[in-house]
């Protein structure tokens, strides 16, 4: 998702938010995703990217983050572990 030659402009915030919203672990590989989940991934990436720009222009972007900068998961109240995956 971060390959700028395929999808220019996507960074860690969009990547993390999209993966969280479709409930896919960041270490998952695209090839391992079932078609249904892959379709959801593409749809959510597109939608979130447009919303990201809209929210950024409104200066409301931070209000819409579900996982970026968060310490507790909204799904199950577990601690969110931050790793640098390279």
């Amino acid at each position: 998702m971060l390959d700028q030659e395929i999808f220019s402009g996507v960074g860690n915030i969009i990547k993390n938010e999209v993966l969280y919203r479709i409930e896919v672990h960041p270490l998952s590989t695209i090839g391992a995703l079932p078609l249904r989940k892959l379709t959801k991934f593409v749809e959510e990436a597109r939608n979130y990217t447009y919303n990201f720009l809209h929210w950024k222009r409104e200066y409301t972007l931070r209000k819409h983050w579900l996982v970026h900068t968060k310490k507790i998961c909204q799904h199950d109240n577990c601690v969110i572990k931050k790793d640098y995956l390279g």
Side-chain angles (χ1 to χ4, degrees), residues 23-41:
E23 299 178 350
V24 170
H25 192 279
L27 290 176
S28 300
T29 59
I30 290 290
L33 295 179
L35 182 58
R36 196 163 122 198
K37 192 62 96 166
L38 185 58
T39 300
K40 194 172 182 183
F41 170 75

Side-chain angles (χ1 to χ4, degrees), residues 4 10 14-15 19 23 32 38-39 42 47-48 60-61 67:
Q4 298 298 301
V10 174
I14 293 174
K15 176 197 68 164
L19 293 176
E23 299 178 350
L38 185 58
T39 300
V42 172
N47 293 338
Y48 191 83
T60 63
L61 178 59
V67 72

Side-chain angles (χ1 to χ4, degrees), residues 1 6 13 42-43 61-62 71 77 82:
M1 185 171 192
I6 296 172
I13 295 172
V42 172
E43 289 172 358
L61 178 59
R62 291 175 188 243
K71 299 197 184 296
N77 291 324
K82 181 178 179 180

Side-chain angles (χ1 to χ4, degrees), residues 4-22:
Q4 298 298 301
E5 290 184 23
I6 296 172
F7 195 171
S8 181
V10 174
N12 286 315
I13 295 172
I14 293 174
K15 176 197 68 164
N16 293 334
E17 289 292 323
V18 168
L19 293 176
Y20 181 79
R21 289 162 192 255
I22 66 166

